[in-house]
Amino acid sequence: MTPNPRPALQDRPELSVYWDNHLRAAFEEAASFIYPPMVEASLAHVWMLDDEGILPRERSTRLEQGLLALWERISDGKQEYVFDGSVEDPYYFMEQQLAAACGISTSELDVQLARSRNDLDAGAFRMVLRRQLLDQADLVVQAAADAAALAKEHADKLIIGFTHRRPAQPTTIGHVLGGLSEALLSQGRELLDIYAELNVSPLGSAAFAGTDVPINPETLRELLGFDSAFTSSYEAVAGAEHFMRLAAAQARICATGARFSRVLLEWMTFGWVRTPDAYTQGSSIMPQKKNPVVLEHMVSMAGAAAADMSATFANINSAWYEDSNNATTDVQKHLWRAGDRVVRFVRMLDGLLTEFEVQRLPEMAEIVRSGATTTSVAEALAVAGVPWRGAHDVVGRLFKTADPTAWTREQVLEALAAAGIRAELAGLTLAAGREPERVLDRTQAGSPGIKAVTVTADGALAAAQELAARFTELRTGLDSARALLLDRARQLADAA
């Protein structure tokens, strides 16, 4: 009997098992993300070394020329990331590419003088994440503004509000959308706060203990658009607080959107809101079906974001408080994968908001029959002097016999008499139970009242505008810093 052949341990036999099964896969996943900011950070590092008189002008000029050639290749979309087994990761790949661009061997490079792969990787990763964060924030704030505008438009659209998936009280579409807007704004503010913690330069920390070379980390901070530089070189390299906060924010954004997606799916099922064709798929067997599966996909995407958050926390939790692949390199894929997912998720959420169209709303009698007005009946009796628990009990007993549309004056009088409540409150009881539109006149802040929803919406729109301006300002700052860096790099490259 011929034995089964031994399974191969690698796909590319010229590579070791470790290189083929991990380093190759990690390179192919990470290089396109991390290589561009590594080149950008190196442009700043070489300029700083020259500015401080640490590198001879001839050598710094040659390096800057090579780095600019790499940057041009990246900007033109011509840079390829091929793992050929000659180097282990994007850092050594960059050195390899730079040496070739400079026409020298890697042994002649000075680009890593007074710098470690540790602080370079930490800095480049922050540079990737801050741009991703701004992309996410722009969309979250825009969705918040669109939800607020819809809240204002539909402040008078009366529907049945649910708790625990059961009809609860009358509310409005505007009231719900105003709440969604507030949740999204909360996430926008959280992203702004995370950005402040994220946009701290670790460059100059070297491996973790700094360097004896008289470098100037403040110059690196300025040229790369960081708001501040590290105060502890140890935390600059070993720190992971910003990773955990961002992972949690990404999961939170998707979770909020997923919860609203389930409500929106129900509104479409009730026919309260139109199901937009662009967000549906047809049935393979039932010709009448128009399935808004995008909402199901969004719930699944939220689950994936939560999984990436859990993986990020699990990796960091298992790492020592020191430079460690568990807490740095291995969490990168979870964070930028989740970042890309958040962008796609919020685009779909906001797309649904921009196509939001109210159709047939529940009739007043339908709202009353659901039992949604019974709390208002009990409150009306309480305001008229009936103890709350007594009012609550009598209305509960009435509803067990019939919904308010079917209550007769005789039934109400009998129920009030049994509870020792004045007969003259019968008319109040009947009116409060049959007029769900009363909720539109509520003046309490934050309520479904038309004026209250309008105030909420106006406040949310103003807050969204303020946040959007702040995020634009941050992006402009990064772009300005890059422009300054490239200008200085070109001047140095031309100084030969």
Side-chain angles (χ1 to χ4, degrees):
M1 184 175 181
T2 305
N4 291 329
R6 180 179 174 83
L9 298 183
Q10 66 255 64
D11 295 323
R12 289 174 52 177
E14 76 276 15
L15 302 177
S16 71
V17 173
Y18 169 51
W19 278 52
D20 188 47
N21 288 280
H22 178 73
L23 292 182
R24 177 177 62 83
F27 178 94
E28 291 171 352
E29 188 171 37
S32 63
F33 286 97
I34 210 74
Y35 177 86
M38 282 185 170
V39 172
E40 188 174 354
S42 297
L43 283 165
H45 186 68
V46 170
W47 194 94
M48 181 273 295
L49 293 175
D50 179 85
D51 189 54
E52 297 296 325
I54 296 169
L55 265 187
R57 175 57 57 87
E58 177 186 352
R59 281 152 63 182
S60 59
T61 295
R62 179 177 60 192
L63 286 172
E64 210 74 321
Q65 289 172 343
L67 287 166
L68 283 170
L70 299 186
W71 184 256
E72 183 177 353
R73 196 181 306 159
I74 293 168
S75 301
D76 292 343
K78 296 179 180 179
Q79 179 63 54
E80 297 180 350
Y81 305 100
V82 179
F83 188 86
D84 61 7
S86 60
V87 293
E88 65 184 49
D89 63 16
Y91 159 73
Y92 284 112
F93 178 76
M94 187 198 74
E95 283 205 339
Q96 184 186 68
Q97 297 285 301
L98 178 57
C102 292
I104 59 177
S105 66
T106 54
S107 63
E108 298 176 85
L109 289 175
D110 291 301
V111 70
Q112 207 64 6
L113 173 62
R115 187 174 73 176
S116 167
R117 179 168 46 171
N118 294 358
D119 64 334
L120 175 58
D121 185 62
F125 193 21
R126 287 174 184 253
M127 292 166 70
V128 172
L129 292 179
R130 68 187 181 184
R131 291 275 185 179
Q132 278 200 338
L133 183 152
L134 292 176
D135 290 342
Q136 295 164 51
D138 286 343
L139 286 163
V140 167
V141 172
Q142 178 177 283
D146 288 340
L150 283 172
K152 194 170 181 178
E153 179 183 351
H154 299 299
D156 62 341
K157 304 300 191 300
L158 205 62
I159 59 172
I160 302 168
F162 286 73
T163 62
H164 309 289
R165 306 312 325 127
R166 292 293 180 270
Q169 293 181 322
T171 188
T172 66
I173 284 178
H175 190 219
V176 177
L177 289 170
L180 175 65
S181 180
E182 286 194 354
L184 293 170
L185 286 172
S186 172
Q187 291 152 19
R189 295 185 188 99
E190 176 71 5
L191 289 173
L192 183 61
D193 193 46
I194 294 170
Y195 185 92
E197 185 169 355
L198 178 66
N199 202 35
V200 177
S201 173
L203 296 163
S205 302
F208 66 84
T211 173
D212 290 331
V213 179
I215 63 172
N216 189 344
E218 183 62 21
T219 298
L220 297 174
R221 178 206 69 74
E222 176 191 6
L223 291 176
L224 294 171
F226 286 103
D227 294 326
S228 59
F230 63 89
T231 54
S232 165
S233 62
Y234 196 95
E235 167 66 10
V237 170
E241 302 302 315
H242 52 298
F243 298 155
M244 291 188 284
R245 289 189 67 192
L246 182 56
Q250 290 170 336
R252 178 183 165 200
I253 290 166
C254 291
T256 296
R259 295 180 70 201
F260 177 71
S261 295
R262 299 186 72 163
V263 169
L264 189 55
L265 178 60
E266 198 161 68
W267 288 0
M268 290 178 182
T269 301
F270 293 157
W272 297 349
V273 173
R274 184 181 68 88
T275 303
D277 291 338
Y279 292 86
T280 65
Q281 292 180 4
S283 167
S284 63
I285 190 172
M286 295 169 284
Q288 87 284 4
K289 292 293 294 296
K290 188 164 67 170
N291 301 317
V293 293
V294 62
L295 300 169
E296 297 169 346
H297 293 314
M298 290 170 68
V299 172
S300 298
M301 291 170 75
D308 275 324
M309 178 189 70
S310 296
T312 297
F313 275 69
N315 275 21
I316 294 171
N317 179 67
S318 65
W320 296 91
Y321 179 49
E322 60 190 37
D323 175 65
S324 164
N325 282 338
N326 302 68
T328 56
T329 307
D330 289 345
V331 305
Q332 292 180 9
K333 59 186 177 183
H334 299 298
L335 289 172
W336 57 50
R337 180 171 58 204
D340 173 71
R341 185 185 300 113
V342 167
V343 166
R344 292 182 286 112
F345 181 95
V346 183
R347 282 175 175 170
M348 289 192 289
L349 174 62
D350 198 32
L352 287 164
L353 293 176
T354 59
E355 295 204 27
F356 194 91
E357 184 180 323
V358 173
Q359 292 194 142
R360 183 198 66 81
L361 294 176
E363 296 179 357
M364 296 301 172
E366 183 182 348
I367 298 174
V368 173
R369 281 194 296 271
S370 75
T373 60
T374 55
T375 300
S376 293
V377 179
E379 288 181 341
L381 291 173
V383 170
V386 179
W388 166 252
R389 185 51 60 195
H392 187 279
D393 289 345
V394 74
V395 175
R397 286 196 299 271
L398 273 169
F399 190 76
K400 286 180 180 179
T401 64
D403 69 76
T405 63
W407 291 350
T408 66
R409 185 173 181 81
E410 289 70 24
Q411 284 178 318
V412 171
L413 285 169
E414 182 180 344
L416 294 179
I421 299 174
R422 305 187 311 274
E424 61 264 26
L425 296 180
L428 177 67
T429 301
L430 288 166
R434 294 172 178 174
E435 298 174 0
E437 65 272 22
R438 287 185 174 197
V439 75
L440 301 177
D441 297 325
R442 284 187 184 167
T443 58
Q444 180 185 358
S447 74
I450 293 176
K451 290 183 179 179
V453 170
T454 301
V455 169
T456 295
D458 285 340
L461 286 166
Q465 186 176 17
E466 182 178 344
L467 275 173
R470 179 63 180 135
F471 286 121
T472 297
E473 180 183 352
L474 293 173
R475 190 185 299 277
T476 299
L478 294 182
D479 293 340
S480 297
R482 177 178 286 171
L484 174 64
L485 169 61
L486 291 175
D487 182 61
R488 290 187 178 181
R490 291 178 183 121
Q491 290 180 29
L492 177 57
D494 293 338

